[in-house]
Amino acid sequence: MKMKRLVILSLFLPLVVSGQYKYGLTPTKHADYLSGLSNNPKNELINLEKFIPGVVLDIRYATTNNFTKEKIYNLSRAYARKPVAESLKEAQEEFKKQGLGIKIFDAYRPYAATVKFYEVYKDTTYVASPYRGSRHNRGCAIDMTIYDLKTGKDLPMPTEYDSFRKEAWPTTPVKDHVIKKNRDLIISVMEKHGFKVNSSEWWHFDFVGWQKFDVMDISFEELENR
Ligand SMILES: [Zn+2]
């Protein structure tokens, strides 16, 4: 009975709702974001590459080297809300004392990209639900690793970025002591500076207090041309 109802629903749903916002969530668009900034300067999306010396980008969704095998972003950019950018800057200062730098795989993500990921891979263990949006959509999540400032090489970690394996969980035991040390280091420095690691992705850090920020659907081009 339940299945039958679902089938009927899915047949009629496309007729009832159309467009990108069919999941019952209406994200903030560019014009509203801009007009709200004077009252809420904390909402500003900051270009992390410009704001934080030592931060480098490897934005996989601006290439085909990601789980969708498609280029999702037209530009390779990393933005985050002002307090998130400030906390990340402090974390970078601490990493730098150990000869390390932050490499960002993804930061603010337009809501349209979250919809696309969900439609490609319908498992919300690893991709955010479009009904709620991602913390990336709020400009409050950073996907990252750390690299050696001298050699430019990434530190060995339990898995590659965007791995759907259980080894990616921060709680999975690691035998290799160097890898364990690296994973503990990235998590401890980030958590000291106001972030919380995701329970199934060692590379994903949520800004504590992300609930205060809204889901946005603003492209990198819009942010750049304002
Ligand atoms: Zn993430």
Side-chain angles (χ1 to χ4, degrees):
M1 189 60 194
K2 204 176 170 192
M3 271 308 287
K4 202 171 177 186
R5 225 181 275 157
L6 265 177
V7 170
I8 292 167
L9 248 182
S10 65
L11 280 173
F12 284 95
L13 218 52
L15 301 174
V16 181
V17 285
S18 63
Q20 174 180 311
Y21 303 132
K22 61 187 175 187
Y23 297 103
L25 195 156
T26 306
T28 301
K29 300 290 284 179
H30 192 224
D32 290 335
Y33 159 77
L34 284 183
S35 62
L37 277 185
S38 52
N39 284 335
N40 290 297
K42 284 183 174 176
N43 281 349
E44 187 180 355
L45 286 163
I46 304 291
N47 182 320
L48 300 175
E49 197 180 19
K50 289 186 182 160
F51 185 69
I52 312 175
V55 157
V56 297
L57 306 190
D58 180 11
I59 306 298
R60 299 288 177 86
Y61 300 128
T63 72
T64 55
N65 180 20
N66 67 69
F67 76 96
T68 67
K69 308 276 183 252
E70 278 179 54
K71 201 174 145 184
I72 305 287
Y73 302 157
N74 291 325
L75 296 174
S76 169
R77 295 290 182 274
Y79 283 91
R81 304 281 196 173
K82 199 166 192 187
V84 183
E86 283 162 352
S87 294
L88 197 66
K89 193 174 196 174
E90 288 171 19
Q92 171 56 50
E93 279 158 16
E94 186 161 349
F95 284 126
K96 195 183 170 194
K97 288 181 196 152
Q98 305 195 41
L100 303 169
I102 290 172
K103 179 186 273 186
I104 298 177
F105 297 123
D106 196 26
Y108 160 65
R109 176 187 305 159
Y111 178 72
T114 291
V115 171
K116 173 131 190 154
F117 293 162
Y118 178 74
E119 289 178 352
V120 168
Y121 194 90
K122 290 197 165 148
D123 180 348
T124 51
T125 313
Y126 291 100
V127 300
S129 160
Y131 296 95
R132 287 186 296 139
S134 162
R135 289 155 202 188
H136 284 286
N137 305 144
R138 297 171 190 260
C140 291
I142 310 286
D143 291 343
M144 58 179 270
T145 192
I146 38 180
Y147 72 98
D148 186 315
L149 286 170
K150 272 196 199 125
T151 65
K153 284 196 177 142
D154 294 359
L155 266 54
M157 288 290 178
T159 67
E160 69 280 17
Y161 171 56
D162 260 355
S163 166
F164 291 166
R165 291 184 288 134
K166 204 167 177 176
E167 283 79 4
W169 297 18
T171 47
T172 302
V174 179
K175 278 193 194 134
D176 186 307
H177 75 278
V178 174
I179 293 177
K180 173 150 184 8
K181 197 180 99 209
N182 294 341
R183 185 182 72 181
D184 290 350
L185 177 69
I186 189 172
I187 294 171
S188 66
V189 171
M190 291 300 286
E191 294 199 339
K192 184 175 157 191
H193 291 283
F195 292 87
K196 180 92 188 74
V197 72
N198 181 275
S199 60
S200 54
E201 305 174 339
W202 61 261
W203 58 83
H204 174 117
F205 295 91
D206 288 318
F207 182 66
V208 176
W210 57 266
Q211 296 89 338
K212 294 186 207 112
F213 298 90
D214 50 348
V215 168
M216 298 169 285
D217 195 18
I218 304 166
S219 69
F220 296 138
E221 287 92 333
E222 286 173 313
L223 287 173
E224 207 130 295
N225 297 331
R226 80 184 177 101

